[in-house]
Amino acid sequence: KWDEALEAANQLMVDDEENRTCGLYFHPLSVNRWPIFLLQNRIEFSYDPSGSVEFPVTGLIESVNFIKKLFDEQGILQTFLSDSDRDAEQLFLEQKVSMIVTSYFSLNEIKDHSIPYDIAPLPYLKDAQTLLLIIGLAINKNSMKKEAAKRFVDFMADEAAQETIRKETLSIPAMKKIAEKQGKSLVQKPSRYHLFRETIPTFRLYSDLGLTSRELSELRNELRIYLSDLMDDKIFLQRVTAKLSELNINTHV
């Protein structure tokens, strides 16, 4: 659980003037990170007939407060340590962070480095859930080169291209039989690389929160202010309710 991960992080911290190391880190405002805590705490947004948003108030506050707790207990100023997900991997390589929350795709940031590491399932709050990030290929219906685009998509979906992804990256190939293959790789993979096969039942999507991408962005803006301690729980809830309700009503007018 996250409490256990935080306890381990506090034990891993080094706090002296010459070499300060953080125990656990991730970019808190990344849309690929903070929604995880809401999903794990069974948060789902919906709208009543009038268009006003409804959500479990206590659960939302518990979720965002735990994000704040992760940083506060480690004495981290989360606002200034990173600008994007990629910064977490860089801090890990610089040995300023002992553990990071990352994705298979983001592991490619460290594949060319010799630093030893391994991976584990994501810690959880109430439910063991993780966020599935999907990368796909699409052809623009207005493209003047549809046939050429289709040939490229077919190539990328072919076994040869999928095998290249398996051999030369740490991304998970889309083709199941290639993804599960144990053959030789040109990159050093962590010993538990195939952990994804065990965590498939925990995969969730942004849509499981009941929010559109625009609504997620609006919630993120409010979360940024809240995590900076510029408003309390009551104001945060009022602003989230007002912003999401207004956005939903305007969208359906």
Side-chain angles (χ1 to χ4, degrees):
K1 286 195 168 185
W2 277 110
D3 280 326
E4 295 171 296
L6 182 55
E7 182 180 343
N10 288 330
Q11 294 177 29
L12 289 166
M13 286 184 66
V14 176
D15 192 6
D16 60 53
E17 293 183 1
E18 295 183 0
N19 181 31
R20 188 165 190 222
T21 302
C22 173
L24 170 65
Y25 188 74
F26 58 91
H27 181 51
L29 293 174
S30 167
V31 73
N32 298 333
R33 300 291 180 263
W34 63 263
I36 292 169
F37 294 86
L38 276 61
L39 289 167
Q40 292 184 344
N41 220 20
R42 305 170 189 167
I43 305 302
E44 184 175 356
F45 295 81
S46 60
Y47 295 91
D48 65 20
S50 69
S52 296
V53 69
E54 297 179 333
F55 56 89
V57 171
T58 302
L60 179 62
I61 289 297
E62 287 176 351
S63 303
V64 296
N65 273 341
F66 193 81
I67 298 174
K68 185 184 293 187
K69 177 182 177 181
L70 279 169
F71 292 92
D72 288 348
E73 285 203 9
Q74 297 182 85
I76 305 171
L77 292 173
Q78 68 269 24
T79 308
F80 302 106
L81 198 53
S82 63
D83 293 317
S84 66
D85 290 340
R86 184 171 295 181
D87 291 337
E89 283 72 36
Q90 185 58 43
L91 288 166
F92 184 74
L93 290 173
E94 293 173 358
Q95 300 186 51
K96 292 298 181 183
V97 179
S98 296
M99 299 184 290
I100 57 172
V101 177
T102 188
S103 65
Y104 275 88
F105 184 76
S106 294
L107 286 177
N108 288 300
E109 297 291 331
I110 62 178
K111 70 181 178 66
D112 296 324
H113 296 266
S114 59
I115 186 170
Y117 72 95
D118 212 336
I119 59 176
L122 193 67
Y124 64 95
L125 291 172
K126 289 179 180 175
D127 298 334
Q129 297 185 359
T130 188
L131 189 59
L132 183 63
L133 307 180
I134 302 171
I135 300 173
L137 295 168
I139 300 174
N140 192 318
K141 67 178 182 180
N142 297 317
S143 171
M144 302 298 290
K145 304 286 185 179
K146 286 190 178 70
E147 185 57 34
K150 183 179 182 303
R151 289 184 66 181
F152 175 71
V153 171
D154 290 341
F155 167 76
M156 290 300 295
D158 188 69
E159 284 192 32
Q162 292 289 302
E163 179 68 6
T164 298
I165 292 172
R166 184 193 71 80
K167 280 187 175 181
E168 300 185 19
T169 78
L170 293 173
S171 301
I172 303 173
M175 191 175 291
K176 182 180 178 181
K177 69 176 182 178
I178 301 297
E180 296 184 341
K181 195 173 178 181
Q182 299 280 358
K184 184 179 179 181
S185 173
L186 299 179
V187 295
Q188 183 65 37
K189 296 187 175 181
S191 67
R192 302 195 70 195
Y193 175 80
H194 287 93
L195 179 71
F196 64 85
R197 293 183 297 190
E198 302 172 30
T199 58
I200 288 174
T202 71
F203 291 172
R204 297 296 183 272
L205 302 171
Y206 294 115
S207 55
D208 289 315
L209 288 173
L211 297 175
T212 65
S213 59
R214 190 175 176 187
E215 290 165 341
L216 273 172
S217 179
E218 196 67 56
L219 180 54
R220 177 186 181 274
N221 289 337
E222 296 307 313
L223 186 61
R224 173 171 41 221
I225 301 172
Y226 181 76
L227 291 178
S228 300
D229 285 329
L230 295 178
M231 59 181 170
D232 60 19
D233 295 357
K234 181 179 179 181
I235 299 299
F236 173 68
L237 292 170
Q238 289 176 346
R239 286 174 61 95
V240 168
T241 300
K243 292 290 183 66
L244 292 183
S245 296
E246 180 182 5
L247 187 58
N248 179 66
I249 292 170
N250 290 339
T251 300
H252 294 89
V253 169

